[in-house]
Amino acid sequence: MPEYQNPQQEPGAERRLLLVFLLTFIVLIFAEPLLKKYGPQPPVETHPKQAAPAQNASAPPVSATIAAPATPPPVETKQAAAESETVIDSDLYRITFTNRGAQVKSWILKKYKNDAQTGELDLVNSAAAAKFGYPLSLWTYDETLRDRLNSVLYVPSKEGNLSAPAEISFEYADHDLVVRKTFHFADSYVLKVDTSVFYKGVETFAAPAWPAGFGDQVTPASYAPARIDYHNDLSTDRKALFFPNYILRISLKNVSSGSTVKGPFEWGGTDDQYFTALFIPNDTDNAALITLRNAMQIQKAGENGTAKAEVLGAAVGNLRGPTQERMFVGPKESAALESISIPTVHNGDSDLRGIVDYGWWGLLARPLFIWLKWTYKYVPNWGWAIVIQTLIITVALLPLRITQMKSMLKMQRVAPQIKSIQEKYKKYSLRDPRKAQMNEEISALYKKEGVNPAGGCLPLIIQLPFLYAYYRMLETAIDLRQAHWLWVPDLSARDPYFILPIIMVIGMIAMQRMTPQMGMDPQQQKMMNWMMPLFMGFIFFNLQAGLNLYYAESNLISMAQQAVMNRTKLGREMREMMEKRARKKEK
């Protein structure tokens, strides 16, 4: 199957979409009078404000060793003679360790397919990991020591294939370096990590790391959503007073490689659009998060040449002793995240749900997704679940459409009086104080006749938040990743054949022709009938198929509603008034 990319992940796409919605709304409000007048006639060290209090984001000590050294274990040389592999297998994952560096070469998630949908997804970004480090490698401030820790041959406690629950340890020792790494796996996305490093007899800070992004990052655009997140529960933080479970997010452009965020924090790590690697330290007060950022050239999707990609990673360890922590590696799926209990200082137990970021419209996008997921239980296809949800939303907005028609009719009735008032004051300039009297008279007329000038825009005002919430939901919810519907292989990516955007444009054109346009002559109405649908089609052309499905279906249902409303007494009255006014202008 061909690879369908997700173009809306392009950096800045979300802000541009929000700006487009705003501009669309402005155009709808101001286009009519303009056309009538001019138209045809007729955390960090480099970012302390994002971290917890300033003292928690201070730089690490110059020395890479622990201030109060513990008693080192007796030195007994331990070193493997050859490289070997150990595989940990469960229903959720298959993890392959190498004893070279005691790190992970492959981290397969069995329930998720790769981007081309041709096999299981490997969370290890092999190209980036080969350059910048593999998962569960150790990060130290001393680069020479870091390279040594991640290249020597450790002695594994077990080799071959193991089934979870399982525990494996890796040990290495020579005349000046003693290292132990222990990992415990259960049949979940959470593992336990214990590490200790003694260098020249002194216990040394060496943080377990996920240094090189994720395996689903295969195009330049797929690197853009990457970021560093950590959870801070300090009630002394000003923002935490209003948001007790406050999550500090460091976007890609603000990450500096090697910067340190010092504790306390309950968890921290890196994530991309759909997957995450989070460290949950046992000792939150002495925890330190190291932000990692590196650049590499990757192949452009379907094109010749390469493009620069910024690869993010994170390491979390204990500054005052051996590191003991849990680690969540897997999908940003709500049920999995909710199952992880995180003890917090001031607010009891929490979980990892906050890692899923629905953005500004989360108050609407999250409930929409919960509702959609409930619908999916009874209609086990995400596309048909969207169809059902769209039907309910559009029907629920019918009273607003009726209100819109009533408002438009009232505006048509008072239009001659408004024109008369405008004629009376047209000889005065805009700066003339008497011009303000015109607005007062028009406002008084509106109040007398019970007219709301913005009433005709109410359905659009209500619909825009749903559109943006759907955009965020489709971009964020991993359940909709690679969700099939009829000819669409992935509802979270664009329609490969552009059928839905075309249906949406045709539906909008039909709706514009069916809906009476207040105050417009036929030529002006003709311009609007084509301009707005083509403008929206240009916007939606590359957006998610699920969003196009929602909007296209909404237009089709609205067409049926409008056809019925045009046959009512209210609709016939509006039509007659529009036709009468058009005949007058033709004369």
Side-chain angles (χ1 to χ4, degrees):
M1 184 176 288
E3 179 179 341
Y4 296 100
Q5 301 302 336
N6 196 350
Q8 72 272 8
Q9 295 175 16
E10 207 177 306
E14 179 182 329
R15 293 183 180 176
R16 290 198 297 272
L17 181 63
L18 189 59
L19 178 60
V20 163
F21 284 160
L22 179 61
L23 290 175
T24 303
F25 178 58
I26 294 173
V27 167
L28 287 174
I29 292 178
F30 294 101
E32 189 276 330
L34 290 174
L35 284 172
K36 189 170 182 180
K37 185 174 182 180
Y38 300 106
Q41 297 297 324
V44 181
E45 185 178 36
T46 54
H47 309 282
K49 292 183 179 179
Q50 294 186 11
Q55 62 269 24
N56 295 324
S58 58
V62 176
S63 171
T65 59
I66 303 302
T71 303
V75 176
E76 178 184 346
T77 301
K78 291 185 179 180
Q79 183 174 341
E83 187 170 353
S84 64
E85 293 185 353
T86 305
V87 178
I88 312 294
D89 207 346
S90 81
D91 294 336
L92 300 176
Y93 54 77
R94 184 171 61 256
I95 302 171
T96 303
F97 277 93
T98 173
N99 69 329
R100 184 173 294 281
Q103 53 198 356
V104 173
K105 292 178 60 177
S106 174
W107 200 304
I108 301 290
L109 295 186
K110 295 184 176 181
K111 293 188 176 182
Y112 296 90
K113 293 186 178 296
N114 59 25
D115 204 65
Q117 303 190 37
T118 56
E120 296 170 331
L121 174 67
D122 190 344
L123 274 190
V124 177
N125 187 330
S126 56
K131 292 176 175 291
F132 312 123
Y134 286 89
L136 300 182
S137 56
L138 294 176
W139 193 95
T140 66
Y141 295 111
D142 184 335
E143 185 175 358
T144 302
L145 177 59
R146 186 194 320 159
D147 293 340
R148 186 176 171 190
L149 286 169
N150 299 320
S151 61
V152 297
L153 293 174
Y154 289 72
V155 177
S157 60
K158 298 175 184 177
E159 294 181 0
N161 295 327
L162 306 175
S163 296
E167 182 174 293
I168 183 171
S169 296
F170 294 89
E171 293 183 293
Y172 175 86
D174 59 23
H175 66 283
D176 63 355
L177 181 63
V178 179
V179 189
R180 180 179 177 85
K181 302 169 71 172
T182 302
F183 308 101
H184 179 83
F185 296 88
D187 196 13
S188 72
Y189 291 113
V190 178
L191 63 146
K192 293 180 180 178
V193 180
D194 294 333
T195 64
S196 65
V197 175
F198 286 85
Y199 182 56
K200 295 182 179 179
V202 179
E203 192 159 39
T204 302
F205 173 75
W210 189 283
F214 298 90
D216 65 324
Q217 295 173 315
V218 293
T219 65
S222 62
Y223 284 83
R227 65 189 182 194
I228 304 293
D229 288 351
Y230 61 101
H231 177 279
N232 192 312
D233 188 46
L234 278 183
S235 62
T236 55
D237 188 289
R238 181 175 60 83
K239 294 179 180 178
L241 293 174
F242 299 96
F243 304 99
N245 293 315
Y246 188 66
I247 296 171
L248 298 114
R249 292 190 162 94
I250 312 172
S251 62
L252 186 150
K253 65 180 181 180
N254 294 323
V255 174
S256 297
S257 191
S259 293
T260 302
V261 179
K262 297 177 69 176
F265 54 82
E266 283 71 37
W267 53 259
T270 184
D271 62 282
D272 66 359
Q273 186 175 8
Y274 294 119
F275 301 94
T276 185
L278 295 178
F279 299 88
I280 309 168
N282 291 3
D283 185 353
T284 59
D285 291 334
N286 293 312
L289 181 150
I290 313 300
T291 62
L292 307 175
R293 175 178 177 176
N294 294 283
M296 64 180 292
Q297 294 292 321
I298 63 171
Q299 187 70 34
K300 292 182 179 179
E303 303 178 24
N304 294 326
T306 60
K308 181 181 178 181
E310 297 289 344
V311 183
L312 292 193
V316 174
N318 193 316
L319 287 170
R320 296 290 179 266
T323 293
Q324 296 180 331
E325 57 193 6
R326 290 179 292 163
M327 193 176 179
F328 177 91
V329 180
K332 290 157 67 172
E333 195 271 325
S334 55
L337 296 172
E338 290 173 12
S339 67
I340 312 303
S341 177
I342 310 294
T344 58
V345 179
H346 300 282
N347 297 286
D349 284 351
S350 181
D351 52 44
L352 298 176
R353 280 176 296 177
I355 197 70
V356 181
D357 180 20
Y358 288 100
W360 297 346
W361 292 99
L363 289 176
L364 181 58
R366 193 182 296 273
L368 270 179
F369 174 67
I370 293 173
W371 175 16
L372 187 68
K373 195 170 183 178
W374 178 83
T375 306
Y376 178 77
K377 292 181 180 179
Y378 302 95
V379 185
N381 180 279
W382 289 104
W384 292 117
I386 290 175
V387 169
I388 293 172
Q389 190 178 60
T390 304
L391 174 63
I392 295 172
I393 292 173
T394 309
V395 171
L397 293 177
L398 178 59
L400 294 177
R401 188 170 294 278
I402 295 173
T403 301
Q404 177 191 32
M405 286 193 67
K406 291 180 178 179
S407 177
M408 292 169 64
L409 180 59
K410 290 179 180 180
M411 285 292 293
Q412 292 281 0
R413 288 171 177 168
V414 300
Q417 296 168 265
I418 293 174
K419 186 175 181 180
S420 176
I421 294 172
Q422 290 172 338
E423 287 290 328
K424 185 169 64 172
Y425 289 94
K426 71 176 183 179
K427 61 183 178 181
Y428 303 118
S429 67
L430 291 175
R431 296 182 178 182
D432 196 308
R434 286 170 290 188
K435 200 74 171 179
Q437 297 177 13
M438 180 187 74
N439 296 329
E440 292 175 2
E441 289 188 31
I442 293 176
S443 298
L445 178 62
Y446 284 156
K447 185 175 181 180
K448 178 182 176 182
E449 299 295 332
V451 176
N452 181 3
C457 300
L458 188 59
L460 178 64
I461 296 173
I462 298 298
Q463 193 175 31
L464 281 178
F466 281 96
L467 277 173
Y468 192 73
Y470 248 89
Y471 170 81
R472 287 296 301 166
M473 178 179 72
L474 288 161
E475 185 184 48
T476 304
I478 191 172
D479 305 73
L480 294 165
R481 175 182 181 265
Q482 299 177 351
H484 294 252
W485 179 75
L486 297 181
W487 69 89
V488 179
D490 186 354
L491 287 167
S492 68
R494 73 182 183 185
D495 183 340
Y497 308 110
F498 305 106
I499 296 174
L500 288 172
I502 292 171
I503 293 175
M504 186 205 73
V505 171
I506 294 173
M508 286 194 69
I509 292 173
M511 269 295 296
Q512 289 288 102
R513 296 177 64 86
M514 293 172 63
T515 305
Q517 303 294 324
M518 60 180 185
M520 287 188 186
D521 61 38
Q523 290 186 354
Q524 292 170 339
Q525 185 173 350
K526 184 177 180 180
M527 289 181 62
M528 289 297 293
N529 285 347
W530 289 97
M531 184 174 68
M532 287 304 299
L534 292 177
F535 177 60
M536 294 297 289
F538 174 75
I539 297 170
F540 279 73
F541 188 71
N542 267 337
L543 294 182
Q544 306 109 320
L547 184 65
N548 277 283
L549 173 60
Y550 167 80
Y551 202 23
E553 183 192 352
S554 178
N555 285 335
L556 294 176
I557 298 172
S558 297
M559 285 170 55
Q561 292 175 343
Q562 191 66 48
V564 174
M565 290 168 64
N566 286 345
R567 296 176 180 272
T568 63
K569 180 180 178 181
L570 177 63
R572 290 197 301 271
E573 184 179 356
M574 290 191 69
R575 284 284 181 183
E576 291 171 1
M577 188 175 294
M578 293 289 295
E579 292 170 1
K580 182 178 179 181
R581 189 160 296 168
R583 286 194 296 269
K584 284 183 179 180
K585 290 185 178 181
E586 289 176 359
K587 296 177 181 178

